[in-house]
Amino acid sequence: MSTPAAKPMRVQVEDYIFSLQDQIVSAFETLDPASPKFKRDSWVRTQGGKGQSCVFACPTDDPSIVHDSILEKAGVNTSVVHGVLPPAAIKQMRADHTSMPLPDRPEGLPFFAAGISLVIHPSNPHAPTVHANYRYFEITEPVEEDRPASEQPRLLAWWFGGGCDLTPSYLYEEDALHFHTTIKNACDKHGRQLYPSLKKWCDEYFYIPHRNESRGIGGIFFDDLNEGPHARLNSPNSSDPTPRPTSPAEIFSLIRDLGNAFIPSYLPILKVRSSLSFTPAQRRWQLLRRGRYVEFNLVYDRGTKFGLMTPGARIESILMSLPETARWEYMSEMGEEGTEEAKLVEVLKKPREWV
């Protein structure tokens, strides 16, 4: 008796991200049942694909009303899209993914991308912002006109990417320890070298050069995980006693464990910190830190830049990561040595090993 064929990786990833999105949104709504529900916006991409943006925002009809919601703005988005990458996007992708050279095709290259991306901006300055993103990408040969419909086009490249990171306004070392420990435990199931390598990559990626500081206190970041050699990780034939995952099934298992670790890594922190009282000065500092968040996302973030280059991109969903309110001050005195704010700045200037 023959065993049923496994679902294509495209389908497995799609099923998982929609399920994870529902779990995460439901967890936030359960944590704060008195607040408005997330707006669930299902959409279809004209050029091919679909997705759902789940967005939370407090009502703004009357700015004089102070809302007690745990969250100020949040988005948990999924997208499953396909189509043709234009030459400009291929050029950007070639620069971002040097380990997977792609051919020049003036007509573009077919692609498939599926992922979940979330950013949570809490109301309370003591509660940290969090970001997570997990994605799967394929690039194939152009489909020939005489190709049978049942025949799949040849894969030119495939990879997984993603990560998660914490961005507090005030440093609570126990929160950093909890967040990093939870993520490390998920990584360790798939090789003990993963967490330190991906944590270092995160510290380097979420860096704001013109400010000489990190965006937050780190987490993990990775890209280009596939079966081939990797510039930042050991090779598939390495003598490392705990080699990294390389097959699609192995890497997808890592992705699932990391995705499933999001709720236990963050919600306990959010629940505790959202109950603390805060001052107008602490709110001001929170808005200044959010300004730095905006600077990174609009100037340096590869995902934002790639999304804006993609034909038919949903701009509202791409810019979902930006906070509802932020602040910039000329030569602000906040964060000077000897203050609570300075404790955070010190870690942003010199990233720390938390676990």
Side-chain angles (χ1 to χ4, degrees):
M1 181 177 178
S2 60
T3 58
K7 292 181 181 179
M9 184 54 64
R10 293 183 175 196
V11 177
Q12 294 184 57
V13 173
E14 177 179 344
D15 290 345
Y16 174 68
I17 61 175
F18 281 113
S19 172
L20 180 61
Q21 179 187 41
D22 184 63
Q23 293 175 43
I24 292 173
V25 171
S26 296
F28 282 118
E29 292 179 338
T30 300
L31 182 64
D32 194 9
S35 290
K37 299 290 187 183
F38 277 67
K39 177 182 179 181
R40 291 163 168 81
D41 176 25
S42 297
W43 49 269
V44 174
R45 181 173 176 267
T46 304
Q47 292 87 345
K50 63 181 180 179
Q52 182 174 240
S53 298
C54 296
V55 179
F56 177 92
C58 287
T60 56
D61 294 339
D62 185 351
S64 66
I65 298 177
V66 177
H67 296 279
D68 294 325
S69 297
I70 289 177
L71 304 182
E72 184 170 336
K73 183 183 176 185
V76 184
N77 295 350
T78 49
S79 64
V80 180
V81 298
H82 55 86
V84 176
L85 285 178
I90 295 174
K91 181 179 180 181
Q92 180 69 47
M93 183 165 286
R94 189 182 292 115
D96 293 339
H97 305 274
T98 55
S99 65
M100 291 176 286
L102 300 172
D104 283 313
R105 292 289 176 86
E107 73 276 18
L109 286 171
F111 78 95
F112 170 88
I116 180 169
S117 180
L118 66 88
V119 177
I120 309 298
H121 294 290
S123 300
N124 194 307
H126 296 286
T129 287
V130 71
H131 156 261
N133 172 280
Y134 297 104
R135 58 195 178 274
Y136 174 67
F137 213 98
E138 290 181 356
I139 296 179
T140 65
E141 287 277 13
V143 178
E144 300 174 2
E145 293 184 2
D146 58 350
R147 183 191 298 272
S150 59
E151 185 177 335
Q152 295 296 316
R154 186 172 72 89
L155 269 178
L156 294 176
W158 64 267
W159 68 90
F160 288 89
C164 58
D165 61 288
L166 201 66
T167 306
S169 297
Y170 287 90
L171 181 63
Y172 289 93
E173 296 195 6
E174 60 268 37
D175 293 353
L177 177 62
H178 171 81
F179 183 80
H180 280 266
T181 298
T182 307
I183 301 306
K184 180 181 183 298
N185 290 342
C187 287
D188 283 354
K189 299 177 184 178
H190 305 271
R192 298 189 67 84
Q193 67 130 348
L194 281 176
Y195 171 78
S197 298
L198 304 187
K199 194 269 183 185
K200 183 175 185 292
W201 198 347
C202 181
D203 289 339
E204 295 172 0
Y205 180 79
F206 291 107
Y207 181 73
I208 310 174
H210 65 269
R211 298 290 190 180
N212 192 31
E213 66 183 33
S214 298
R215 189 180 76 174
I217 60 170
I220 58 168
F221 177 86
F222 59 92
D223 213 350
D224 301 348
L225 286 193
N226 61 18
E227 60 193 351
H230 198 287
R232 287 181 170 267
L233 301 171
N234 62 18
S235 67
N237 298 320
S238 168
S239 59
D240 189 309
T242 54
R244 67 176 175 90
T246 53
S247 72
E250 290 171 344
I251 302 173
F252 184 44
S253 177
L254 167 66
I255 294 292
R256 291 197 307 271
D257 282 338
L258 290 172
N260 295 343
F262 172 77
I263 292 175
S265 73
Y266 180 66
L267 260 71
I269 297 172
L270 179 64
K271 183 176 182 180
V272 171
R273 300 303 167 205
S274 292
S275 65
L276 301 180
S277 61
F278 61 90
T279 67
Q282 290 170 329
R283 170 65 170 171
R284 176 185 160 207
W285 175 246
Q286 179 192 42
L287 297 184
L288 287 171
R289 295 313 313 169
R290 285 183 178 174
R292 303 296 171 90
Y293 202 92
V294 171
E295 290 174 26
F296 176 86
N297 283 28
L298 294 184
V299 178
Y300 300 109
D301 186 61
R302 283 171 21 185
T304 300
K305 291 193 287 186
F306 178 78
L308 296 176
M309 288 183 178
T310 305
R314 298 189 84 246
I315 304 302
E316 293 294 327
S317 295
I318 294 171
L319 298 181
M320 169 274 299
S321 65
L322 302 182
E324 187 167 280
T325 51
R327 184 180 179 93
W328 286 264
E329 294 180 7
Y330 182 74
M331 303 293 285
S332 176
E333 82 287 357
M334 296 198 78
E336 293 182 346
E337 188 175 352
T339 64
E340 282 297 311
E341 292 77 15
K343 294 179 182 179
L344 174 72
V345 174
E346 180 182 355
V347 172
L348 300 182
K349 298 288 186 182
K350 297 179 181 179
R352 191 183 301 179
E353 299 301 322
W354 297 104
V355 292

